[in-house]
Amino acid sequence: MIIYEDASFYVEQEESEIPWLKIFTKEPYKELGDIPLGLRKKLWETYDLIEYEMQHYYNPDKINMASFANILPRVHIHVMARFKEDSYFPNPMWGEKQRDSKLQLADQDAFHKRVFNALTQKHN
C-alpha cells in the first residue's frame, strides 16, 4: 500500500508485524550513486522524516535501515521499527524467527497519516 507519492519517489508499507516502510525512487536507479544529487538529498530527507516519526510514534528499541536490492535491482530503502519482543529480534527481519510475538502497537493508520503529513509539508 502506497502511503505517500510525488513526482520523484513513493513510500509504501511492507506487510509485517512491525512498522516497516520502503522508500522507492520512481526512476529505476540501480545504485544510490546513480541518483542525481538533488534527488539523493531528498531521499535522505525522506528517510530522516520517516525515522523521526517511527521513533516518536512507536518508541522502538531500534530503527533498522536496509538497502540490499539484490532481488529487486533498483534503489529502495527499508525503514523498520524493531522491538526486543518482535519475532525476529535481534536478527534481521529476513533471518530466522526467534519466537512468536504478540506486539501491541499503536494504530498504523494514524502513523501513516503522520508520515504523509510530514512528507507533504517537507516536499511541497
Side-chain angles (χ1 to χ4, degrees):
M1 170 176 72
I2 293 176
I3 64 167
Y4 177 85
E5 183 173 14
D6 69 15
S8 54
F9 70 93
Y10 60 95
V11 176
E12 73 177 29
Q13 172 196 341
E14 175 76 16
E15 288 297 324
S16 178
E17 73 183 56
I18 62 167
W20 182 343
L21 298 180
K22 298 182 291 189
I23 309 164
F24 287 87
T25 58
K26 288 221 173 156
E27 292 294 320
Y29 299 103
K30 187 174 179 184
E31 305 295 346
L32 286 168
D34 296 338
I35 301 173
L37 187 56
L39 181 56
R40 199 175 330 149
K41 181 179 177 186
K42 186 176 178 181
L43 180 71
W44 288 116
E45 288 172 348
T46 300
Y47 170 81
D48 286 343
L49 278 170
I50 291 171
E51 179 185 83
Y52 176 87
E53 292 297 338
M54 273 187 180
Q55 285 178 320
H56 290 86
Y57 189 76
Y58 289 110
N59 194 31
D61 295 301
K62 182 73 176 92
I63 299 287
N64 286 175
M65 182 257 268
S67 182
F68 300 111
N70 294 331
I71 295 172
L72 180 62
R74 64 174 292 181
V75 170
H76 63 287
I77 297 174
H78 298 259
V79 189
M80 299 163 271
R82 299 299 308 275
F83 303 88
K84 290 178 182 172
E85 305 83 28
D86 74 46
S87 296
Y88 294 85
F89 195 90
N91 291 347
M93 292 301 293
W94 297 275
E96 184 178 333
K97 188 174 180 178
Q98 302 295 300
R99 69 195 65 78
D100 288 329
S101 178
K102 294 179 175 64
L103 288 174
Q104 300 291 320
L105 299 175
D107 181 57
Q108 179 174 260
D109 291 336
F111 169 66
H112 292 167
K113 187 173 186 172
R114 284 175 62 131
V115 170
F116 176 85
N117 289 339
L119 290 172
T120 299
Q121 183 177 3
K122 179 71 176 178
H123 296 307
N124 289 333

